[in-house]
């Protein structure tokens, strides 16, 4: 039986443990924090996540899709809140396509419990990774009491998040390309309670967005009828909101409709006293060391949260890895090499897309051109469902490789640009004909079409043309 | 008296110690390795360096220019070695402009000795940085016997190179943008002995280059009449050179004239058994933490060696820092903030230029267009010495800010492109006139010019035109 050490018992680590255990590997999972299932309060990470096609496919493979989906809340559209209080939905895709708000803690618990069902899995909590030896396949951990234990396995998998300790070890000991960037915006979470009568305070099946160009607030629904609101703004703005009065004025000017829903006292108190948290983007390469170690999830490609793909991409990592183990008949060396080669282009693509989508979420949704393009994309998608897959649809509702999603979008942009040139040229040509040779223009129109045109044509057009 | 901890006693650390000591700071310099002045053999870093304007200016400021220049060897031009053995020089600038080959060890020793002359300087060798506290201004070091000592100062300066420990601490504890890239090429050093009669084996005042497009070898002269040759090649090629026979064939095909100079047995033995070393590029930001710490030199901006600016840029860091301390009257907080802001754009520019220059050194020097452009640049530089400073000249023989050097080059490219368009259009216009209105064309030419044109004009041109 081959053995694997999984470092990190968060979402990706726990899911990967399910995959590897079901495949028959001996799994030892090490997590720095205590068992999340035993904690009263979990600190530090966002409360809810949006689950879409890639994540669901991964859950399906380990038999957990149904149990997770039961407790999720579908979101069919963005609900844009304008400053004047107007709300307008922008659907994510077709009528039956939705992303799903799921509870991070619940999902993590389900995954850990599922992994533990397999007898060849052992979990070690409160073990912090210290050092890896990538020749011998050993990892040393420091326990809470200060003692150090060392484990050995055929494969070491780092699923230990954006500030991965395994990645730090790789960086120290191999030739490793690495890039980390903090964006100049931070985030802060607020909790919107249920409305009177224990109802959701807003329309439930939406991801609510207060898009204000330079910054935004979003809200995702939770099972308990609350919303988790997240404020994304430049740190420069957060720094100005240190008094209740400043926060009150800011919310009245920018998110007035949210104040009664959140509670004025709560908002002014929380925002003026809490610290905005930073957002990091990480790209690196390679993901593996020899035939001994690999990093998955945020450890390999932490991204800003604006495409809702952080978890979905991490879960898809597990699928891709699993497929490669199948392809290479559990040969770890061959799997790791191909994993880096295929997965790194896709992970880099979604890291870039996530940064790009911040602009879409906070700014483009306010633009008429953007809305027109969405409608056109949807129409063309309806017309050519296999060819014209809009970017958001391909990212969230398909498993088209991320780098291919970007290529498709670039191709669509080119086609539309050319169509526009052709269209404008055609219109000019027709206009010119109509002006200079009205007799041919009339003759060449089929009779019914001419009748139709005569009926709808505004009189000024007739006066100009004929 | 303000105090500073300098981490790293290499070139930049030792120079910075001179600057800070001469300014009246209490300086404690910590170096991981033993005192270089006490060692028999120094391992790990390249033997010689090219000193140019920025580095010399820094040495001048601490009173060391003369002593260093005395032992250096001026290099006035690149000497290109073609495969057929032809050698052709390409000057670096005007006749009196040169870069200088200096010995790394000698330079480092001169700097350390100079720093120690000031009584407020203490040096601590074999101290490895462990942890920094950027609130308290403390740094802990592990000594060779395993014991840990902690030091406190008003300022912590990390001059500890491309794999800086101080930078690692900054990365762990602050929001820090960071990028490291290993290029797919490695390097290997070879030593070319003096020729019979204790002479230099090649023309001495040149930087010799065997440019082979995909890879190259260079050679810099040393005081002891040897040359240090460095082979820069893709690791993929190095990996094929594991037998003496493979190396012999490779050198015969690509660097045949170097074999008798290096010695066939020495080359085949050394290249087939040595390991090529990697080359790293590092960009990061910010360079400082609050009013407590800053990184200088390779710690902040490691670059590939192809512009010969790694040391020069690090030395210029010390000048820029010193000027800012003057400007801000020794206010460390203000100095650090402005240092990051001004220096990071320049350091990023030279990191990029260094990568770009690898292509110039190994490939462009073989192109006629490149040589033509060099001649044109030199002519225009002679014509407009204040406006048209060629890129290499501005980088190596001036202290024009690095980012401005790039901007100037881009402007020059634009001007030349436009001039070419204008020139071609003009020629076409003249040609058209000559064809259609030969009588005016002949009349409009001044008589001598017409005579001249008549004399040099090839007969076919006449037949076409008239």
């Amino acid at each position: 039986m081959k053995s694997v050490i999984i470092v990190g018992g968060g979402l990706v680590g726990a899911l990967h443990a399910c995959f590897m255990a079901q495949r028959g590997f001996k799994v030892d999972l090490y997590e720095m924090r205590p068992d999340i299932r035993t904690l009263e309060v979990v600190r530090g990470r966002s409360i809810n996540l949006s689950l879409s096609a890639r994540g669901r496919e991964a859950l399906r493979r380990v038999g957990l899709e149904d149990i997770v989906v039961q407790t999720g809340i579908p979101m069919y559209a963005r609900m844009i809140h304008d400053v004047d209080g107007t709300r307008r939905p922008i659907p994510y895709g077709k009528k039956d396509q939705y992303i799903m708000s799921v509870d991070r803690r619940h999902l993590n618990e389900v995954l850990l419990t599922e992994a533990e069902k397999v007898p060849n899995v052992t979990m070690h909590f409160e073990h912090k990774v210290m050092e890896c030896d990538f020749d011998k396949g050993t990892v040393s951990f420091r326990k809470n009491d200060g003692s150090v234990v060392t484990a050995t396995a055929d494969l070491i998998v780092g699923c230990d998040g954006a500030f991965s300790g395994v990645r730090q070890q790789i960086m120290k000991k191999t030739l490793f390309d690495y890039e980390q960037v903090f964006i100049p915006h931070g985030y802060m979470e607020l909790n919107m309670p249920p409305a009177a009568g224990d109802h959701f305070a807003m329309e439930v099946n939406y991801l609510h967005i207060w898009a204000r160009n330079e910054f935004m607030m979003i809200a995702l629904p939770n099972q308990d009828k609350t919303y988790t609101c997240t404020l994304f703004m430049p740190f420069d703005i957060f720094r100005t909101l240190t008094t209740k009065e400043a926060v009150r004025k800011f919310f009245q000017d920018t998110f007035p409709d949210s104040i009664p829903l959140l509670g004025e006292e709560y908002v002014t108190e929380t925002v003026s006293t809490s610290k905005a948290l930073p957002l990091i983007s990480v790209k690196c390469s390679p993901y593996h060391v020899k035939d001994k170690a690999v990093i998955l999830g945020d450890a390999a490609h932490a991204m800003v949260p604006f495409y809702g793909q952080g978890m979905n991409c991490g879960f898809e990592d597990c699928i891709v890895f699993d497929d490669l183990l199948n392809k290479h008949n559990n040969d770890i060396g061959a799997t790791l090499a191909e994993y880096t080669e295929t997965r790194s282009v896709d992970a880099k693509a979604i890291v870039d897309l996530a940064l790009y989508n911040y602009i879409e979420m906070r700014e483009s949704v306010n633009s008429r051109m953007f809305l027109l393009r969405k409608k056109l994309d949807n129409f063309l998608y309806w017309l050519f469902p296999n060819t014209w897959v809009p970017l958001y649809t391909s990212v969230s509702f398909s498993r088209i490789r991320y780098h291919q999603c970007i290529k498709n979008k670039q191709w669509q942009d080119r086609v539309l640009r050319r169509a526009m040139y052709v269209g404008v040229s055609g219109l000019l040509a027709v206009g010119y004909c109509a002006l200079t040779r009205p007799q041919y223009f009339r003759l060449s129109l089929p009779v019914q079409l001419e009748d139709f045109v005569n009926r709808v044509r505004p009189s000024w057009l007739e006066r100009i043309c004929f």
Side-chain angles (χ1 to χ4, degrees), chain A residues 1-119:
Chain A
M1 190 191 278
K2 287 196 177 171
S3 59
V4 57
I5 292 168
I6 296 177
V7 181
L11 297 171
V12 175
L15 175 69
H16 193 60
C18 294
F19 268 98
M20 298 302 274
Q22 292 179 8
R23 164 174 290 280
F25 275 57
K26 178 178 178 309
V27 177
D28 282 89
L29 184 146
Y30 293 83
E31 163 61 40
M32 187 172 67
R33 282 161 294 194
D35 189 342
I36 195 171
R37 294 166 296 184
T38 64
L39 294 178
E40 287 215 6
V41 183
V42 179
R43 299 175 63 90
R45 299 300 302 272
S46 67
I47 293 160
N48 43 24
L49 297 153
S50 78
L51 178 67
S52 51
R54 296 167 205 261
R56 285 184 72 155
E57 163 85 16
L59 292 171
R60 193 176 310 135
R61 295 235 189 149
V62 296
L64 289 178
E65 185 185 16
D66 292 341
I67 190 174
V68 172
V69 165
Q70 275 167 24
T71 59
I73 299 174
M75 300 181 290
Y76 291 91
R78 312 155 185 88
M79 178 66 85
I80 310 298
H81 293 237
D82 291 332
V83 180
D84 65 6
T86 319
R87 300 182 188 184
R88 51 193 171 88
I90 306 176
Y92 279 122
K94 294 180 178 175
K95 271 198 182 130
D96 58 343
Q97 288 177 323
Y98 59 86
I99 58 176
M100 179 166 263
S101 174
V102 295
D103 184 77
R104 175 190 290 271
R105 176 177 183 157
H106 173 70
L107 179 54
N108 205 158
E109 292 181 351
V110 166
L111 287 165
L112 286 172
T113 302
E114 182 68 20
E116 265 187 342
K117 283 186 188 160
V118 188

Side-chain angles (χ1 to χ4, degrees), chain A residues 172-448:
Chain A
K172 270 194 183 165
K173 295 173 181 176
T174 69
L175 303 190
F176 188 64
D177 290 349
Y178 177 74
E179 183 184 351
Q180 70 176 42
V181 178
F182 287 91
I183 64 170
H185 293 230
Y187 75 98
M188 188 183 286
E189 285 194 348
L190 297 168
N191 189 49
M192 185 184 286
D198 201 28
H199 294 299
F200 278 100
M202 303 181 295
E203 301 84 343
V204 64
N205 289 121
Y206 297 91
L207 192 158
H208 294 262
I209 307 181
W210 292 256
R212 299 294 179 265
N213 301 332
E214 279 304 293
F215 52 87
M216 68 175 182
M217 184 164 71
I218 66 170
L220 275 78
N222 300 315
Q223 278 280 317
D224 63 0
K225 300 193 175 147
T226 63
Y227 280 88
T228 307
C229 301
T230 314
L231 201 51
F232 294 98
M233 297 201 299
F235 282 106
D236 286 346
I237 299 185
F238 275 118
R239 271 191 280 273
T240 66
L241 304 179
T242 49
T243 66
K244 285 188 172 186
E245 196 38 48
V247 177
R248 184 175 299 115
K249 178 155 187 349
F250 179 75
F251 266 71
Q252 278 167 353
D253 290 349
T254 50
F255 313 121
D257 63 333
S258 76
I259 302 176
L261 306 176
L262 285 160
E264 185 173 311
E265 184 52 29
Y266 167 73
V267 168
T268 53
E269 173 69 23
T270 310
V271 176
S272 64
T273 57
S274 307
K275 208 180 150 190
L277 301 172
L279 294 162
I280 191 174
S281 231
V282 169
K283 292 181 190 171
C284 60
S285 172
Y287 295 151
H288 74 289
V289 184
K290 301 174 195 163
D291 59 348
K292 272 289 172 267
V294 68
I295 46 178
L296 303 183
D298 283 2
H301 45 63
M303 63 194 78
V304 292
F306 306 113
Y307 227 114
Q309 286 294 312
M311 171 187 67
N312 289 287
C313 176
F315 279 13
E316 197 180 43
D317 287 354
C318 298
I319 303 180
V320 172
F321 195 81
D322 198 57
D323 286 346
L324 287 173
L325 277 173
N326 285 339
K327 176 178 169 187
H328 294 294
N329 213 358
N330 285 338
D331 176 336
I332 295 177
T335 299
L336 296 194
E338 189 170 343
Y339 179 77
T340 282
E341 199 182 316
T342 57
R343 195 57 179 161
S344 61
V345 282
D346 290 318
K348 283 175 185 171
I350 187 63
V351 169
D352 287 338
L353 276 175
L355 278 169
Y356 152 79
N357 212 49
Y358 188 29
I359 300 165
E360 176 161 324
M361 281 182 92
R362 65 181 155 93
E363 191 169 334
S364 310
V365 292
N366 293 332
S367 132
R368 275 176 201 281
M369 269 309 289
F370 172 81
L371 300 174
L372 193 71
R373 172 65 190 267
K374 278 262 175 240
K375 281 191 203 302
L376 181 62
D377 273 339
N378 289 340
F379 171 71
L380 290 166
Y381 181 35
W382 170 79
L383 212 61
F384 314 110
N386 298 315
T387 321
W388 199 282
V389 186
L391 179 62
Y392 193 91
T393 302
S394 66
V395 169
S396 299
F397 304 128
S398 87
R399 283 204 50 225
I400 296 172
R401 290 181 62 181
Y402 289 122
H403 85 276
Q404 191 60 47
C405 297
I406 294 183
K407 275 194 183 165
N408 287 354
K409 172 69 160 65
Q410 288 166 339
W411 169 77
Q412 291 164 5
D413 288 348
R414 271 202 309 279
V415 169
L416 288 186
R417 215 165 29 238
R418 278 182 206 159
M420 201 186 67
Y421 291 145
V422 171
V424 168
S425 312
L427 276 178
L428 285 177
V430 170
Y432 180 78
C433 280
L435 271 172
T436 54
R437 301 276 189 281
Q439 64 280 24
Y440 299 131
F441 187 68
R442 294 176 66 113
L443 276 177
S444 68
L445 277 174
V447 180
Q448 290 97 328

Side-chain angles (χ1 to χ4, degrees), chain A residues 98-171:
Chain A
Y98 59 86
I99 58 176
M100 179 166 263
S101 174
V102 295
D103 184 77
R104 175 190 290 271
R105 176 177 183 157
H106 173 70
L107 179 54
N108 205 158
E109 292 181 351
V110 166
L111 287 165
L112 286 172
T113 302
E114 182 68 20
E116 265 187 342
K117 283 186 188 160
V118 188
N120 43 330
V121 174
T122 316
M123 301 212 174
H124 313 258
F125 293 95
E126 303 183 53
H127 280 64
K128 185 177 157 58
V129 67
M130 302 291 293
E131 198 165 0
C132 303
D133 183 324
F134 298 115
D135 291 315
K136 297 181 187 154
T138 59
V139 189
S140 61
F141 298 93
R142 189 166 57 203
K143 292 166 72 172
N144 255 16
D145 61 9
S147 64
V148 173
V149 294
T150 300
T152 309
D154 298 314
L155 174 63
I156 302 162
V157 184
C159 305
D160 47 347
F163 301 94
S164 167
V166 175
R167 189 185 65 217
Q168 266 179 38
Q169 290 291 308
I170 296 179
M171 203 157 153

